[in-house]
mmCIF file of all heavy atoms in Angstrom:
data_model
loop_
_atom_site.group_PDB
_atom_site.id
_atom_site.type_symbol
_atom_site.label_atom_id
_atom_site.label_comp_id
_atom_site.label_asym_id
_atom_site.label_seq_id
_atom_site.Cartn_x
_atom_site.Cartn_y
_atom_site.Cartn_z
ATOM 1 N N LYS A 19 120.967 78.986 97.890
ATOM 2 C CA LYS A 19 121.495 77.810 98.614
ATOM 3 C C LYS A 19 122.947 77.701 98.333
ATOM 4 O O LYS A 19 123.830 77.615 99.219
ATOM 5 C CB LYS A 19 120.652 76.614 98.377
ATOM 6 C CG LYS A 19 120.660 75.674 99.470
ATOM 7 C CD LYS A 19 119.684 74.459 99.314
ATOM 8 C CE LYS A 19 119.918 73.376 100.320
ATOM 9 N NZ LYS A 19 119.354 72.156 100.037
ATOM 10 N N ALA A 20 123.199 77.758 97.052
ATOM 11 C CA ALA A 20 124.615 77.533 96.534
ATOM 12 C C ALA A 20 125.550 78.596 97.056
ATOM 13 O O ALA A 20 126.633 78.378 97.262
ATOM 14 C CB ALA A 20 124.600 77.451 95.059
ATOM 15 N N SER A 21 124.944 79.838 97.165
ATOM 16 C CA SER A 21 125.817 80.930 97.624
ATOM 17 C C SER A 21 125.890 81.101 99.121
ATOM 18 O O SER A 21 126.459 82.129 99.592
ATOM 19 C CB SER A 21 125.375 82.262 96.964
ATOM 20 O OG SER A 21 124.717 82.034 95.718
ATOM 21 N N GLY A 22 125.103 80.282 99.867
ATOM 22 C CA GLY A 22 125.157 80.375 101.342
ATOM 23 C C GLY A 22 124.138 81.438 101.897
ATOM 24 O O GLY A 22 124.237 81.772 102.983
ATOM 25 N N TYR A 23 123.264 81.862 101.015
ATOM 26 C CA TYR A 23 122.181 82.831 101.598
ATOM 27 C C TYR A 23 121.039 81.979 102.035
ATOM 28 O O TYR A 23 120.690 81.034 101.480
ATOM 29 C CB TYR A 23 121.766 83.824 100.459
ATOM 30 C CG TYR A 23 122.851 84.806 100.079
ATOM 31 C CD1 TYR A 23 123.292 84.910 98.737
ATOM 32 C CD2 TYR A 23 123.387 85.613 100.987
ATOM 33 C CE1 TYR A 23 124.327 85.747 98.376
ATOM 34 C CE2 TYR A 23 124.407 86.535 100.679
ATOM 35 C CZ TYR A 23 124.831 86.610 99.338
ATOM 36 O OH TYR A 23 125.834 87.462 99.036
ATOM 37 N N ARG A 24 120.341 82.594 102.987
ATOM 38 C CA ARG A 24 119.239 81.833 103.659
ATOM 39 C C ARG A 24 117.928 81.936 102.858
ATOM 40 O O ARG A 24 117.015 81.193 103.142
ATOM 41 C CB ARG A 24 118.964 82.443 105.009
ATOM 42 C CG ARG A 24 120.095 82.202 105.939
ATOM 43 C CD ARG A 24 119.804 82.826 107.251
ATOM 44 N NE ARG A 24 121.035 82.587 108.035
ATOM 45 C CZ ARG A 24 121.168 83.150 109.228
ATOM 46 N NH1 ARG A 24 120.213 83.726 109.782
ATOM 47 N NH2 ARG A 24 122.237 82.934 109.907
ATOM 48 N N ALA A 25 117.842 82.933 101.983
ATOM 49 C CA ALA A 25 116.608 83.066 101.276
ATOM 50 C C ALA A 25 116.857 83.706 99.886
ATOM 51 O O ALA A 25 117.845 84.404 99.789
ATOM 52 C CB ALA A 25 115.656 83.981 102.106
ATOM 53 N N ARG A 26 116.036 83.328 98.947
ATOM 54 C CA ARG A 26 116.198 83.964 97.641
ATOM 55 C C ARG A 26 116.067 85.434 97.649
ATOM 56 O O ARG A 26 116.541 86.135 96.783
ATOM 57 C CB ARG A 26 115.250 83.256 96.623
ATOM 58 C CG ARG A 26 113.860 83.626 96.749
ATOM 59 C CD ARG A 26 112.932 82.940 95.742
ATOM 60 N NE ARG A 26 111.596 83.246 96.159
ATOM 61 C CZ ARG A 26 110.830 84.192 95.639
ATOM 62 N NH1 ARG A 26 111.313 84.930 94.653
ATOM 63 N NH2 ARG A 26 109.679 84.465 96.077
ATOM 64 N N SER A 27 115.322 85.957 98.646
ATOM 65 C CA SER A 27 115.200 87.430 98.794
ATOM 66 C C SER A 27 116.539 88.182 98.852
ATOM 67 O O SER A 27 116.603 89.259 98.513
ATOM 68 C CB SER A 27 114.348 87.726 99.977
ATOM 69 O OG SER A 27 114.843 87.106 101.190
ATOM 70 N N ALA A 28 117.558 87.414 99.277
ATOM 71 C CA ALA A 28 118.868 88.042 99.317
ATOM 72 C C ALA A 28 119.223 88.612 97.955
ATOM 73 O O ALA A 28 119.871 89.685 97.871
ATOM 74 C CB ALA A 28 119.939 86.971 99.702
ATOM 75 N N PHE A 29 118.901 87.870 96.903
ATOM 76 C CA PHE A 29 119.188 88.337 95.527
ATOM 77 C C PHE A 29 118.486 89.578 95.190
ATOM 78 O O PHE A 29 118.916 90.506 94.370
ATOM 79 C CB PHE A 29 118.980 87.324 94.525
ATOM 80 C CG PHE A 29 119.953 86.254 94.569
ATOM 81 C CD1 PHE A 29 119.674 85.003 95.171
ATOM 82 C CD2 PHE A 29 121.311 86.460 94.102
ATOM 83 C CE1 PHE A 29 120.651 84.035 95.328
ATOM 84 C CE2 PHE A 29 122.260 85.450 94.219
ATOM 85 C CZ PHE A 29 121.891 84.263 94.839
ATOM 86 N N LYS A 30 117.318 89.798 95.742
ATOM 87 C CA LYS A 30 116.503 91.053 95.489
ATOM 88 C C LYS A 30 117.269 92.247 96.068
ATOM 89 O O LYS A 30 117.461 93.199 95.243
ATOM 90 C CB LYS A 30 115.141 91.049 96.175
ATOM 91 C CG LYS A 30 114.304 89.870 95.681
ATOM 92 C CD LYS A 30 112.976 89.857 96.451
ATOM 93 C CE LYS A 30 112.230 88.567 96.258
ATOM 94 N NZ LYS A 30 111.035 88.471 97.129
ATOM 95 N N LEU A 31 117.802 92.109 97.289
ATOM 96 C CA LEU A 31 118.579 93.210 97.886
ATOM 97 C C LEU A 31 119.905 93.366 97.101
ATOM 98 O O LEU A 31 120.382 94.508 96.850
ATOM 99 C CB LEU A 31 118.808 92.996 99.298
ATOM 100 C CG LEU A 31 119.601 94.140 100.014
ATOM 101 C CD1 LEU A 31 118.799 95.454 99.920
ATOM 102 C CD2 LEU A 31 119.838 93.814 101.565
ATOM 103 N N LYS A 32 120.537 92.263 96.707
ATOM 104 C CA LYS A 32 121.834 92.425 95.956
ATOM 105 C C LYS A 32 121.660 93.162 94.679
ATOM 106 O O LYS A 32 122.475 94.001 94.192
ATOM 107 C CB LYS A 32 122.354 91.021 95.635
ATOM 108 C CG LYS A 32 123.110 90.395 96.801
ATOM 109 C CD LYS A 32 123.644 89.047 96.452
ATOM 110 C CE LYS A 32 125.008 88.955 95.926
ATOM 111 N NZ LYS A 32 126.042 89.432 96.814
ATOM 112 N N GLN A 33 120.485 92.916 94.006
ATOM 113 C CA GLN A 33 120.157 93.659 92.747
ATOM 114 C C GLN A 33 119.819 95.004 92.943
ATOM 115 O O GLN A 33 120.190 95.918 92.097
ATOM 116 C CB GLN A 33 119.046 92.903 91.950
ATOM 117 C CG GLN A 33 119.572 91.543 91.375
ATOM 118 C CD GLN A 33 118.484 90.470 91.048
ATOM 119 O OE1 GLN A 33 117.303 90.806 91.117
ATOM 120 N NE2 GLN A 33 118.885 89.297 90.723
ATOM 121 N N ILE A 34 119.157 95.329 94.056
ATOM 122 C CA ILE A 34 118.833 96.707 94.386
ATOM 123 C C ILE A 34 120.213 97.439 94.719
ATOM 124 O O ILE A 34 120.462 98.525 94.252
ATOM 125 C CB ILE A 34 117.907 96.849 95.553
ATOM 126 C CG1 ILE A 34 116.496 96.264 95.260
ATOM 127 C CG2 ILE A 34 117.757 98.254 96.047
ATOM 128 C CD1 ILE A 34 115.555 96.068 96.430
ATOM 129 N N GLN A 35 121.017 96.788 95.493
ATOM 130 C CA GLN A 35 122.302 97.340 95.784
ATOM 131 C C GLN A 35 123.176 97.634 94.528
ATOM 132 O O GLN A 35 123.819 98.721 94.465
ATOM 133 C CB GLN A 35 123.017 96.454 96.815
ATOM 134 C CG GLN A 35 124.451 96.745 97.115
ATOM 135 C CD GLN A 35 124.645 98.068 97.903
ATOM 136 O OE1 GLN A 35 123.656 98.558 98.447
ATOM 137 N NE2 GLN A 35 125.931 98.507 97.994
#
Side-chain angles (χ1 to χ4, degrees):
K19 209 172 168 195
S21 329
Y23 292 120
R24 292 179 187 177
R26 73 184 169 95
S27 53
F29 287 103
K30 300 177 194 172
L31 184 60
K32 278 178 91 67
Q33 288 158 9
I34 294 170
Q35 171 70 10

